[in-house]
Amino acid sequence: MDTIFALGTGPGRAAIAVIRLSGQAVQQVLTDVTGGVPDPRVLRLATLRDPANGEELDRGLTFFFPAPHSATGEDYAELHLHGGRAVVDGVLSALSRRPGLRMAEPGEFARRGFANGKLDLSQAEALADLIDAQTEAQRRQALRIAGGALRREVERWRAALIEALALVEAELDFSDESDVGNFDQARLRQLLEPLLVEMHAALKAAPASERMREGFLVMILGAPNAGKSTLLNALARRDLAIVSPTPGTTRDMIEAHLDVEGLPVTFVDTAGLRDAADEIERIGVDRVLERIGTADLVLWLSPDAQEPTPEMAAQVDVLKIATKTDLAPAPAGWLGISAKTSAGVDALLKEVGAFAKQRLGDGASALLIRERHRTAISAAAACLVSVLTSEKDLEFVAEDLRSAGRALGRIVGAMDVEDVLEAVFARFCIGK
């Protein structure tokens, strides 16, 4: 495979920039550019030069991790440079002119790590989530999966499946051997029933973990001039939406992505709900009505305690907000705010945070964080249900168990038939 390199830190002016390299030519590149290969996992100060003409490019630190004990499983190195744009461009340009080196494709370092068994698919996905994490809960969830929580659970389930399949295969293929007893149906159920319970529990918790990645969606609704745009600006602490006493000013939905109590929350300002005569405003109102069903929470704003419609309350949780409390107090059952003076805004955020935590959790127990994970576990669980609830010949039971194993394999790896054979021979001492 080609030796690859890329800037591992953000582009632009910075104190330090890190260039990463991985592949068979790493040691030669280090020798040509820095004058030698540092001891493994030891920082070394070096002068970086362009091999083409010997021009000095920078003085920095070099790191070397020999294969297979590196993040990619290959020879791997890092160049820690001064973060000026000219320095970085000079080093990248010198590397790009060397035969056998090329700029890495997006995600290629992680992909090589996966190919060489340094991380599984779920961990690779979690690394991307960790980079994108904007709140404490998102960070906590991504770290849990990147640390192998899903892999360990799937491997435990996979081990139980292998043992169950070994029981069935032994009966099918080696029943005439003297040291293989009668097929143990009770043992099969003992292996699979707890497994199915755990899978269903993981599937039940999956929507919250998936939602954590996307964020808790809060729609701000109300009649025109109820104070929706003013509230959004107060929450975001900057002018995102135009505020005007003219009804119908807000025509499209405006979003603000905030960290509320450590959770990702998206607030959406919307067009005022009314029978609009203006065609463009009417389109905006229709879009709001269509999106209500996707919201996790609606903030219903009204300065005069006008109740939300029963249809809305039936679709989604609604928090009733009495606005403009600097002019009149909030009635009973309403949370009062004044976006103009910011009174009550902190209390509103605490209420929203409580709703979000109830729906999303805190990320500490996340397991299935993507639809791909949920789909695979659903398929595996369906196979186990088929085994446990129907009377089938053992050939079909074995195929259901193999299908369950393949479904789990789609999350983190492949289920190898050699694992089953090893379990069979180790368990029954066949062929001694």
Side-chain angles (χ1 to χ4, degrees):
M1 299 177 68
D2 293 337
T3 297
I4 57 174
F5 66 92
L7 180 64
T9 47
R13 181 174 179 268
I16 297 173
V18 177
I19 294 176
R20 311 172 70 196
L21 303 98
S22 182
Q24 294 180 354
V26 162
Q27 295 190 52
Q28 187 61 52
V29 172
L30 288 173
T31 299
D32 294 345
V33 175
T34 71
V37 180
D39 294 335
R41 293 172 290 281
V42 176
L43 276 172
R44 181 174 72 91
L45 180 64
T47 299
L48 281 72
R49 299 183 182 276
D50 187 338
N53 53 27
E55 178 186 1
E56 183 175 338
L57 301 172
D58 192 24
R59 286 177 61 81
L61 299 174
T62 61
F63 246 135
F64 174 61
F65 297 83
H69 306 296
S70 71
T72 61
E74 306 172 329
D75 280 353
Y76 171 89
E78 290 183 358
L79 307 177
H80 293 223
L81 317 172
H82 293 95
R85 183 171 296 177
V87 173
V88 174
D89 288 347
V91 175
L92 290 176
S93 178
L95 293 175
S96 66
R97 291 193 296 269
R98 286 189 56 83
L101 263 69
R102 63 171 175 82
M103 187 73 75
E105 299 291 334
E108 191 167 3
F109 283 91
R111 179 156 187 174
R112 291 192 177 193
F114 166 71
N116 291 318
K118 296 300 179 178
L119 72 169
D120 60 49
L121 285 178
S122 68
Q123 290 175 296
E125 292 169 329
L127 286 177
D129 290 341
L130 188 59
I131 293 171
D132 292 335
Q134 297 182 355
T135 69
E136 181 181 349
Q138 287 177 320
R139 172 188 58 80
R140 190 182 296 117
Q141 175 170 290
L143 274 175
R144 174 175 163 77
I145 304 304
L150 179 55
R151 184 199 71 239
R152 289 189 293 272
E153 197 72 357
V154 168
E155 286 179 350
R156 189 171 62 81
W157 292 342
R158 178 175 174 268
L161 278 177
I162 290 173
E163 185 174 353
L165 187 54
L167 285 173
V168 177
E169 294 283 11
E171 176 66 17
L172 288 172
D173 298 334
F174 305 107
S175 58
D176 57 340
E177 295 284 344
S178 59
D179 54 356
V180 177
N182 295 328
F183 177 63
D184 191 347
Q185 180 71 39
R187 176 58 181 161
L188 183 65
R189 300 191 70 88
Q190 186 181 25
L191 286 168
L192 298 184
E193 286 176 346
L195 196 61
L196 183 59
V197 170
E198 292 176 11
M199 287 184 178
H200 282 158
L203 289 169
K204 184 177 180 180
S209 300
E210 292 180 43
R211 198 65 170 174
M212 179 73 78
R213 296 178 57 249
E214 302 168 2
F216 188 76
L217 182 61
V218 179
M219 294 188 68
I220 306 174
L221 302 181
N225 293 336
K228 299 183 297 298
S229 297
T230 303
L231 175 60
L232 183 72
N233 291 340
L235 293 170
R237 297 183 180 177
R238 62 185 187 276
D239 291 336
L240 291 177
I242 298 173
V243 177
S244 168
T246 304
T249 298
T250 301
R251 301 294 182 91
D252 207 350
M253 287 176 276
I254 302 172
E255 296 184 355
H257 303 276
L258 305 180
D259 181 337
V260 179
E261 305 284 327
L263 298 168
V265 178
T266 299
F267 290 91
V268 183
D269 182 25
T270 62
L273 300 181
R274 66 170 182 169
D275 294 327
D278 182 275
E279 181 179 358
I280 297 177
E281 183 184 354
R282 187 166 59 250
I283 292 173
V285 172
D286 289 342
R287 288 179 177 176
V288 171
L289 295 175
E290 290 173 0
R291 194 174 178 184
I292 289 176
T294 67
D296 297 301
L297 177 67
V298 162
L299 302 184
W300 176 255
L301 272 58
S302 176
D304 55 4
Q306 178 185 348
E307 293 284 343
T309 64
E311 293 79 10
M312 182 187 302
Q315 290 187 68
V316 64
D317 290 328
V318 177
L319 187 58
K320 296 187 292 185
I321 311 296
T323 57
K324 305 179 183 179
T325 54
D326 52 310
L327 302 177
W334 290 68
L335 179 64
I337 66 166
S338 171
K340 183 176 180 180
T341 66
S342 296
V345 172
D346 288 342
L348 171 59
L349 286 174
K350 287 187 179 295
E351 287 284 342
V352 172
F355 272 98
K357 188 170 185 178
Q358 183 180 16
R359 179 68 63 88
L360 305 182
D362 60 2
S365 59
L367 194 63
L368 310 182
I369 64 174
R370 292 176 180 266
E371 183 180 359
R372 183 180 73 82
H373 304 160
R374 179 163 46 83
T375 300
I377 298 300
S378 295
C383 292
L384 298 189
V385 169
S386 177
V387 171
L388 293 170
T389 61
S390 60
E391 296 293 334
K392 290 184 173 184
D393 291 338
L394 289 182
E395 290 85 351
F396 295 104
V397 170
E399 184 55 35
D400 278 338
L401 294 176
R402 292 190 198 99
S403 296
R406 287 192 291 269
L408 293 180
R410 287 195 288 270
I411 298 177
V412 295
M415 185 176 182
D416 195 330
V417 68
E418 293 298 323
D419 292 334
V420 178
L421 293 178
E422 288 177 9
V424 169
F425 283 91
R427 183 182 180 86
F428 300 106
C429 303
I430 296 171
K432 66 176 183 180

